[in-house]
């Protein structure tokens, strides 16, 4: 599979960890740091260590697994360890993990000493097809997701398919939601290909295509002034459900599970507002309903969901904004949705 060229950095797909070793060798870094979480430290670090042996001094920084680590306290922890380990401007940060590690590690590196180089080695499907590409870094504050962050591109991304072998099926499903989204917003053929594939184990080719779609969009609009907003399809409602679940549920929804619900609801809005056909709406609803478990949304939670949507940084002038579809494979950005319309779309999901 071809290396994808992004905004001044390569995204490697073949023998990626060898490429990482090569990158370190050529990079002339004073020292490097590998950020992992508890799981990637066990499942992914051994392969990386075996390839970088002898390439220079490095230190390990480990955070707890899960979204709770993507906050300012863990970020301060990472900064302090960088200070203790003697990081300087010529240091390199290697973020080895899912979206939590790549977002937090990218943010910590992009702000430490006003920015040191970092690369991503994404180890979840979601981080391979989405979080590691496009230069968004960030942390959450008080359950408001990604409220503080930077747009900073990594120096390279190394996508290693073998890491997905230890990923729990629920995490595969989470990343799959973003792949399906890429088809829905930009490529009907890809959507059709996904629909007919074994999605419990998406192939490396399907992952490569997903990265291509995200990459083309983010290169065109790196700071989300226009076309990049297409990637927010499913995310206005999905993010609100994800945040609500994080606060209220004992076993919260994953990002992808929440976004899948968001995409069903926002496809309904698209049918009502931007011309998505009834056939397309039914097809989308069917595909997501077959793949993802049902989630109970109580009507009494609507107010809380709207309050979360209001705080969404995608909004302007206090109006709730959605990216919608005009057909499968084509999207339209900046659609203002009223609470009545949003309620109706949530009711569509509830009544399925
Ligand atoms: P995550 O990083 O929490 O990883 C999910 C779980 O999988 C964790 O428990 C992790 O330890 C474990 N894990 C990771 N790799 C593994 C492996 N190879 N084998 C076994 N277990 C492994 O979550 P995620 O779903 O990867 O990412 C979610 C985060 O990504 C969210 O915070 C979201 O906001 C962010 N995100 C960012 C962007 C962006 O553009 N920057 C885009 C989408 C999502
Ligand atoms: Zn997403």
């Amino acid at each position: 599979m071809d290396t994808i060229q992004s905004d001044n950095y390569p995204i490697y797909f073949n023998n990626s960890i060898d490429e990482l070793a090569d990158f370190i060798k050529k990079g002339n870094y004073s020292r490097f740091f590998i950020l992992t979480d508890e799981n990637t430290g066990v499942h992914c670090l051994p392969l990386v260590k075996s390839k970088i042996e002898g390439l220079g001094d490095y230190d390990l920084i480990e955070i707890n697994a899960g979204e709770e680590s993507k906050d300012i306290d863990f970020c301060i922890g990472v900064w302090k360890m960088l200070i203790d380990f003697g990081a300087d401007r010529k240091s390199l940060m290697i973020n080895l993990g899912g979206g939590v590690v790549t977002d937090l590690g990218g943010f910590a590196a992009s702000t430490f000493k006003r920015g040191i180089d970092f690369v991503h080695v994404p180890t979840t499907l979601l981080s391979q097809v989405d979080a590691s590409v496009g230069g968004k870094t960030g942390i959450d504050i008080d359950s408001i997701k990604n409220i503080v962050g930077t747009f900073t591109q990594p120096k390279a991304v190394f996508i290693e398919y073998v890491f997905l072998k230890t990923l729990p099926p629920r995490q595969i499903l989470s990343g799959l939601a973003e792949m399906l989204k890429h088809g829905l917003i930009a490529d009907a053929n890809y959507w059709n290909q996904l629909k007919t594939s074994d999605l419990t184990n998406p192939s490396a080719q399907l992952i490569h295509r997903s990265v291509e779609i995200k990459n083309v969009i983010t290169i065109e609009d790196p700071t989300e002034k226009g076309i990049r907003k297409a990637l927010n399809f499913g995310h206005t409602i999905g993010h609100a459900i994800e945040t609500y679940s994080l606060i209220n549920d004992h076993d919260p929804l994953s990002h992808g599970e929440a976004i899948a619900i968001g995409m069903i609801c926002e496809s309904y809005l698209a049918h009502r507002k931007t011309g998505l056909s009834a056939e397309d709406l039914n097809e989308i609803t069917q595909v997501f309903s077959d793949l993802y478990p049902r989630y109970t949304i109580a009507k009494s939670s609507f107010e809380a969901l709207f309050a979360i949507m209001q705080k969404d940084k995608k909004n302007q002038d206090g109006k709730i904004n959605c990216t919608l579809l005009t057909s499968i494979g084509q999207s339209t950005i900046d659609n203002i949705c009223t609470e009545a319309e949003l309620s109706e779309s949530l009711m569509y999901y509830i009544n399925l």
Side-chain angles (χ1 to χ4, degrees), residues 213-230:
I213 293 173
K214 170 136 194 203
N215 186 49
V216 165
I217 295 173
T218 53
I219 284 183
E220 204 177 321
D221 178 19
T223 54
E224 203 167 303
K225 301 277 188 290
I227 182 69
R228 185 174 181 155
K229 294 182 194 168

Side-chain angles (χ1 to χ4, degrees), residues 37-40 43-44 64-67 70 97-103 122-127 130-138 140 145-146 162-168 171 174-175 178 214 228 235 239 242 254-256:
D37 72 15
E38 310 159 74
N39 295 321
T40 62
H43 297 301
C44 311
N64 297 345
E67 187 72 27
K70 216 179 97 175
V100 166
V101 166
T102 56
D103 274 12
T123 61
T124 60
L125 182 59
L126 184 110
S127 58
D130 194 356
S132 66
V133 179
K136 280 188 184 177
T137 78
D140 310 331
K145 280 181 56 75
N146 308 319
V162 81
F163 287 149
L164 301 182
K165 283 199 170 28
T166 54
L167 202 61
Q171 294 298 338
S174 183
E178 303 287 0
K214 170 136 194 203
R228 185 174 181 155
H235 282 60
H239 254 165
E242 182 182 14
S254 70
H255 180 71

